[in-house]
Amino acid sequence: MFRATEIGSEETLPALAELTQSTAESLSDFREREKLRKPRISLPNYGFAPISNIRLEYKYPRAVCFILATKFFEAFAANGMRTILVLFLRDDLNFTESFSTIVLHIFNFFGQFCPIVGAMLADSYMGNVRTISGFCFLYGFGWLLLTMTSVPYLGMSVTAFLLVSISFIAVGNGSIRACITSLGALQFKLPEQAVHLAEYFSFYYFVYYFGIFLSKILPPLVRANTQCFDKTTCYPAVFGTLGSSFMVAWIIFLIGKCFYKQEKLFGDNILFRYCGCIKTALVQKWRNRKSAKRCNYWLQNAIGPYDANFVNDVSKVLRISKLFIPLPVYFALLAQQDSSWTFQATMMNTTVLGVTIEPDQAKAVGPVFLFMLIPLWQYVTVPILRRLLNWELKPLHSVTLGGICSAAAFLCAGILQDRIMESPIQSINVAWQLPQFLLLMLGELLLSIPGLQFAFTQAPSSMKSVVTAAWFLNNAFGNLIVVIVTQLDALSSQKAEYLFYAVLMLVCIIIFTLLAYDYVLQERKGYIQTRDLVVLLPNATDNIPSSSSRGGSV
């Protein structure tokens, strides 16, 4: 459906980080075996790559089916929680909109921060299977506690148990996210099953977003059509449904244990080494501050305790990470589909084409737009630009356009909010939210996907997991921005808040453009300096990337 080589997401690229480091070694071994292996048939291949032979010799791993099913039910449960949480807090527990927004975005923060913790435990100490199994106990207990808390007659302390339960769910969800992706990818034998691996990422992307789509439709439907405890809505039924979905995911994962491959632990975690290198460089720079001999670049102070090549890789990642500085604001905008935009929908007429929907179902149009935009962009827009104009949108330019689209989305939200406040309650149709959702999803298509892929492909092979971790932190800090802005309560109205985010996004995109321009200059400068060495060291040409590939990548 979607080509995995062209679409990356924060769910699929962590696995690629691990696989990239081992593929080179596997490829060399594979070539040696190919020289010794006799052909199975006498027909000439007429210059075709031996992909068909590879696909026939290695069957699709059964374990992957269990992993994909696990991800679907788990994604449905976790994102269903995000769908209904703010309305549960406001309407059922009578908390304010500000408090409900803060709780949701703190929940999102842990969901985006904890994948780093889970990935480190899985890579170096426990393996993916044990890490997932361990956090599933915490995850499941969180669902049980939340369901019990939502039952009014049990006499439990609502606020305390609510915060504890959703914390367990957030930590459990975040800690197993990267592990599930990596576990599925590790079931393939590389490079022999490279085509199957690409198919796996395509299936994974589809399953993940299909689970998100259903999570925005079914939980509000269950709440609206179920009554319990003398209330017109039944949140215990919703949480029980979502908790049951997670239990199905857990059971499927446990059954799949019979098929998972044995994992190899690396022991030394690359993220720890990366942080240790930076710490060593800063400490040595401080110690040598009065010395006559100083390094030209501060990170070179780490050479000695760390290999020079490793220090150079750290330097490259730092240059890439500098581009990430303005991007948390974008994730702050993206995350508000489940908070402020949901509250906006509650103030609108939710009858569309004669069908009445729930306010928190309106955001289901986001995944629908994304599913429409991705193939339209890949198979129509990009080929037309290449053939007719001989022009291709470069990743850094794409990120800039995506940020502008996201800012425009919140400008539309602000204009719509102004119309809502000037009109009678629920007189404006919720269909007027479609432009802002379309612009926001266009922003995700142009910013989130190319941005992560750019950083991932530019990073050294040994540092791709570090870049992925930095991207997760971007998302986490974006949710913290929403928490801070909401807690300060410095803006006079919701309209002013939407416009504030739009202006802030534009300012950050300008900063990103300046950083990207500096990055391109530094990359070209480094390429020219390396190219000049060819005059003195002709053998160094093997290590110099072509100017066309470098220019085309940025």
Side-chain angles (χ1 to χ4, degrees):
M1 183 173 183
F2 301 124
R3 286 181 283 184
T5 55
E6 295 187 4
I7 298 179
S9 73
E10 62 190 28
E11 293 289 330
T12 57
L13 286 178
L16 288 176
E18 298 180 6
L19 295 172
T20 307
Q21 300 177 32
S22 59
T23 301
E25 300 176 2
S26 301
L27 184 59
S28 61
D29 296 339
F30 170 71
R31 288 171 177 167
E32 292 298 324
R33 295 196 302 270
E34 285 293 301
K35 294 178 182 179
L36 300 176
R37 187 172 63 184
K38 295 181 180 180
R40 297 176 59 186
I41 55 177
S42 58
L43 294 176
N45 68 357
Y46 297 104
F48 291 102
I51 235 48
S52 59
N53 291 343
I54 294 175
R55 289 171 67 95
L56 289 174
E57 290 179 11
Y58 296 93
K59 295 182 179 180
Y60 202 89
R62 294 180 181 178
V64 171
C65 299
F66 292 93
I67 293 169
L68 291 175
T70 299
K71 186 59 192 178
F72 170 76
F73 286 103
E74 191 275 331
F76 173 79
N79 288 280
M81 177 70 171
R82 295 182 175 94
T83 297
I84 64 169
L85 182 58
V86 291
L87 293 188
F88 167 64
L89 294 172
R90 190 193 71 173
D91 298 341
D92 198 72
L93 300 184
N94 299 317
F95 289 115
T96 64
E97 288 189 1
S98 296
F99 179 81
S100 304
T101 300
I102 289 173
V103 171
L104 171 66
H105 289 285
I106 291 177
F107 176 84
N108 288 341
F109 170 81
F110 283 105
Q112 296 294 338
F113 183 82
C114 290
I116 303 172
V117 178
M120 288 190 296
L121 290 174
D123 289 348
S124 303
Y125 306 105
M126 299 172 62
N128 288 294
V129 175
R130 290 183 178 179
T131 302
I132 295 172
S133 299
F135 280 103
C136 275
F137 283 101
L138 186 69
Y139 204 166
F141 181 72
W143 280 116
L144 177 62
L145 187 60
L146 179 61
T147 304
M148 295 173 61
T149 302
S150 63
V151 177
Y153 296 114
L154 292 181
M156 301 176 67
S157 177
V158 174
T159 304
F161 282 103
L162 171 71
L163 297 179
V164 171
S165 61
I166 63 175
S167 298
F168 286 171
I169 294 173
V171 172
N173 166 246
S175 299
I176 71 174
R177 287 178 66 183
C179 299
I180 293 179
T181 317
S182 300
L183 180 63
L186 292 173
Q187 305 307 308
F188 297 91
K189 185 175 180 60
L190 295 179
E192 294 91 336
Q193 288 186 299
V195 175
H196 280 154
L197 178 64
E199 292 175 349
Y200 161 71
F201 283 121
S202 296
F203 291 143
Y204 190 99
Y205 191 86
F206 175 78
V207 164
Y208 173 64
Y209 271 93
F210 189 61
I212 292 178
F213 171 72
L214 291 181
S215 72
K216 298 181 184 301
I217 296 293
L218 297 182
L221 201 62
V222 172
R223 180 197 63 216
N225 292 277
T226 309
Q227 293 79 37
C228 61
F229 306 113
D230 300 326
K231 294 183 178 181
T232 57
T233 58
C234 188
Y235 280 99
V238 180
F239 294 132
T241 301
L242 297 176
S244 299
S245 178
F246 169 74
M247 291 303 300
V248 171
W250 194 0
I251 292 172
I252 293 174
F253 172 77
L254 293 176
I255 296 174
K257 275 189 172 184
C258 302
F259 303 96
Y260 302 144
K261 286 184 178 180
Q262 186 174 1
E263 300 178 61
K264 177 183 177 182
L265 300 181
F266 295 100
D268 188 14
N269 187 273
I270 190 67
L271 188 59
F272 288 157
R273 291 190 64 203
Y274 173 82
C275 297
C277 179
I278 295 176
K279 176 185 175 183
T280 300
L282 292 173
V283 171
Q284 287 299 117
K285 181 183 179 181
W286 174 258
R287 292 176 179 175
N288 299 335
R289 65 187 185 280
K290 297 181 180 180
S291 175
K293 296 182 179 180
R294 298 181 183 179
C295 298
N296 295 328
Y297 181 47
W298 66 273
L299 201 58
Q300 293 176 349
N301 288 290
I303 297 178
Y306 293 88
D307 181 75
N309 291 330
F310 182 80
V311 173
N312 186 49
D313 287 348
V314 172
S315 175
K316 291 180 181 178
V317 172
L318 286 177
R319 289 201 300 271
I320 295 172
S321 300
K322 188 167 69 173
L323 295 173
F324 290 173
I325 293 175
L327 295 186
V329 174
Y330 160 74
F331 290 104
L333 271 60
L334 189 65
Q336 292 187 63
Q337 298 175 80
D338 292 321
S339 55
S340 64
W341 285 16
T342 299
F343 290 137
Q344 186 182 65
T346 62
M347 306 168 68
M348 306 177 74
N349 178 11
T350 57
T351 300
V352 182
L353 299 177
V355 179
T356 301
I357 63 174
E358 294 298 309
D360 41 1
Q361 287 180 319
K363 55 196 172 190
V365 73
V368 173
F369 276 142
L370 195 60
F371 275 122
M372 294 169 58
L373 289 171
I374 288 174
L376 182 64
W377 177 259
Q378 283 187 355
Y379 303 119
V380 179
T381 308
V382 172
I384 289 177
L385 292 176
R386 287 174 179 170
R387 293 176 185 176
L388 297 183
L389 302 179
N390 194 26
W391 181 78
E392 185 174 355
L393 185 63
K394 295 181 180 179
L396 294 182
H397 297 160
S398 179
V399 170
T400 301
L401 289 178
I404 294 173
C405 290
S406 302
F410 269 69
L411 178 62
C412 289
I415 295 173
L416 179 59
Q417 187 68 28
D418 185 54
R419 288 194 59 189
I420 292 172
M421 300 308 295
E422 293 179 352
S423 305
I425 297 177
Q426 295 183 336
S427 62
I428 304 296
N429 195 277
V430 75
W432 283 102
Q433 280 194 325
L434 290 178
Q436 63 199 58
F437 275 106
L438 178 60
L439 286 168
L440 191 64
M441 291 302 103
L442 188 59
E444 181 169 6
L445 175 70
L446 295 174
L447 189 154
S448 185
I449 296 172
L452 179 54
Q453 282 193 322
F454 168 80
F456 190 84
T457 54
Q458 291 284 302
S461 59
S462 62
M463 291 284 178
K464 295 188 184 297
S465 59
V466 177
V467 170
T468 308
W471 191 266
F472 274 117
L473 289 178
N474 268 334
N475 207 325
F477 291 143
N479 282 278
L480 280 187
I481 290 175
V482 181
V483 171
I484 293 171
V485 172
T486 305
Q487 182 64 33
L488 291 177
D489 195 22
L491 299 169
S492 59
S493 64
Q494 186 62 58
K495 171 191 170 182
E497 186 172 309
Y498 286 142
L499 297 179
F500 167 77
Y501 279 113
V503 172
L504 183 62
M505 185 73 250
L506 288 176
V507 171
C508 288
I509 283 300
I510 294 174
I511 296 173
F512 173 84
T513 303
L514 297 175
L515 293 174
Y517 179 74
D518 179 69
Y519 176 84
V520 173
L521 288 181
Q522 294 297 326
E523 287 294 292
R524 289 177 179 173
K525 180 180 178 182
Y527 168 74
I528 292 173
Q529 291 175 346
T530 309
R531 184 189 62 188
D532 293 340
L533 291 177
V534 177
V535 179
L536 301 175
L537 302 172
N539 294 332
T541 55
D542 296 335
N543 298 323
I544 301 176
S546 65
S547 58
S548 60
S549 63
R550 180 178 293 274
S553 64
V554 295

